[in-house]
Amino acid sequence: MSSPNAILLHSFRWRRPRQIVSRQTSRRPAYWVSFLSPLFLLTAIFCLTSDAVATGRLGVSPERLSFGNVKVGSNSTKILTLGNATKKSLTVVEATVSGSGFTISGLSLPLTLAGGQTTTFNVTFTPTVPGACTGSVTVSDNTGDSQTVPLSGTGTAPAVSLSPASLSFGNQAVGTPGAAQSVTLTNTGNATLTISSVTISGANAGDFAQTNTCGSSVAAGANCSFSVSFTPGASGSRSAALNISDNVSGSPQSVSLGGTGTAPAVSLSPASLSFGNEPVGTPSAAQNVTLTNTGNATLSISSITISGSNAADFAQTNNCGSSVAAGANCSFSVSFTPGASGNRTAALSITDGAPDSPESLPLSGTGT
């Protein structure tokens, strides 16, 4: 049994393999011919010998650029390859870049590429702030075709937050250490913080002391603390600053320190007492000595005595009691009863809480 011979012609488009520098593919017209006979089947596929690629086949490789982590203030550069994926010349007329921190260099436009020709240019990422950054590079040719390459990178840097921003120790007795206070340091950035030194500076730096429990580094997102104490060296307002030197922009970071040294201070008026001539064995009229606490803390009086070669010739009456408030005053009453003729001397001594205690007031008189 036999059947007639037949020839079949099938038309389709053949996709050419992707070029290395192009994300686009092109198609060629092609034909599929089948010859059928009772004895065999013959199939042939052929395509046109002429290049039927459409214009505008500018390729960019790689298809995307990721810079990863880059320290803020430094930069990273990568290379993009441009290629003409056709057999005809193409002219690159424009290259633009978007996104914070991204720049391009090494491409002089307009640039004509022969068929199959490639060239390269640089893309640089220079982050100015910590965090993720995105952008793109778009390259256009003279046919109106364009290619876009997404860009990404992350700026890394430590950042310091100090809490509180200042420490106030209030009133503290001169020479007496006060309770320590803490300053918390938090690394709010996305890179490790390196601490090179912690110091105290300022007019009264010697009145403050710090203990560093942070060590030499603090991980991103972590926190630690410094302990600061105040021991005033004198009365009145005292100030200084805690300084932290590190690898953060604007270093060193500072915390202001303040406190008030408190201490009583004694002023005696008059500065001496003279009783003049007085008959031996006869008490004189009493004279008063005014004590004023000119300091900023309560004055405690522990004792009042009369000393000296003729101490027995003088007597005192304490009208001040055991303490005198800051800014207040009181008096002592002193009398003279000479035990013998001639010059008689002694001193009134006040032992108290003032830094220069005891205070001394000269006493004199003449026995007649």
Side-chain angles (χ1 to χ4, degrees):
M1 183 175 180
S2 63
S3 61
N5 296 333
I7 298 177
L8 303 178
L9 176 64
H10 307 275
S11 175
F12 66 97
R13 295 185 68 83
W14 168 61
R15 182 183 295 273
R16 186 169 61 180
R18 183 187 294 259
Q19 300 295 317
I20 191 170
V21 295
S22 174
R23 295 186 311 239
Q24 303 185 33
T25 59
S26 58
R27 299 175 184 271
R28 295 173 181 266
Y31 299 92
W32 172 17
V33 179
S34 300
F35 178 76
L36 289 82
S37 77
L39 300 178
F40 61 87
L41 170 65
L42 175 65
T43 300
I45 298 175
F46 66 95
C47 62
L48 298 181
T49 58
S50 62
D51 187 359
V53 177
T55 60
R57 292 294 181 264
L58 182 66
V60 186
S61 178
E63 296 184 356
R64 62 181 61 248
L65 284 181
S66 176
F67 291 85
N69 293 332
V70 179
K71 183 180 178 181
V72 170
S74 61
N75 61 70
S76 175
T77 298
K78 292 184 179 295
I79 296 175
L80 279 179
T81 300
L82 280 179
N84 181 355
T86 75
K87 293 183 178 180
K88 300 178 180 180
S89 294
L90 286 177
T91 300
V92 182
V93 295
E94 185 179 28
T96 59
V97 62
S98 66
S100 175
F102 297 102
T103 58
I104 58 176
S105 62
L107 188 62
S108 180
L109 301 179
L111 173 65
T112 299
L113 297 176
Q117 184 181 0
T118 63
T119 189
T120 60
F121 65 97
N122 299 324
V123 182
T124 301
F125 177 45
T126 309
T128 57
V129 294
C133 299
T134 58
S136 63
V137 171
T138 300
V139 184
S140 304
D141 62 34
N142 60 322
T143 70
D145 190 21
S146 64
Q147 301 292 334
T148 298
V149 176
L151 309 174
S152 63
T154 300
T156 62
V160 169
S161 172
L162 295 172
S163 179
S166 62
L167 293 179
S168 177
F169 290 85
N171 294 332
Q172 184 66 36
V174 171
T176 303
Q181 298 188 38
S182 293
V183 175
T184 298
L185 179 152
T186 302
N187 180 0
T188 58
N190 57 359
T192 298
L193 171 73
T194 300
I195 298 174
S196 55
S197 67
V198 182
T199 60
I200 294 177
S201 65
N204 309 121
D207 289 11
F208 299 87
Q210 65 83 21
T211 301
N212 174 12
T213 59
C214 288
S216 59
S217 64
V218 182
N223 63 66
C224 57
S225 63
F226 303 92
S227 177
V228 183
S229 61
F230 173 49
T231 306
S235 61
S237 179
R238 314 294 285 176
S239 63
L242 176 71
N243 304 306
I244 303 165
S245 298
D246 48 45
N247 60 335
V248 173
S249 176
S251 173
Q253 288 76 36
S254 295
V255 174
S256 60
L257 309 175
T260 301
T262 62
V266 171
S267 172
L268 297 174
S269 180
S272 63
L273 291 180
S274 177
F275 288 87
N277 295 327
E278 191 67 36
V280 171
T282 303
S284 70
Q287 296 188 39
N288 289 328
V289 177
T290 299
L291 179 151
T292 302
N293 180 359
T294 58
N296 56 0
T298 297
L299 173 72
S300 60
I301 299 175
S302 55
S303 68
I304 301 173
T305 60
I306 294 177
S307 61
S309 57
N310 307 126
D313 291 10
F314 300 87
Q316 64 84 21
T317 300
N318 175 11
N319 299 313
C320 289
S322 60
S323 64
V324 181
N329 60 68
C330 59
S331 65
F332 302 95
S333 177
V334 182
S335 62
F336 173 49
T337 305
S341 61
N343 292 330
R344 314 295 285 175
T345 60
L348 177 71
S349 298
I350 304 168
T351 303
D352 50 46
D356 57 352
S357 176
E359 288 77 34
S360 182
L361 181 80
L363 307 175
S364 66
T366 301
T368 60

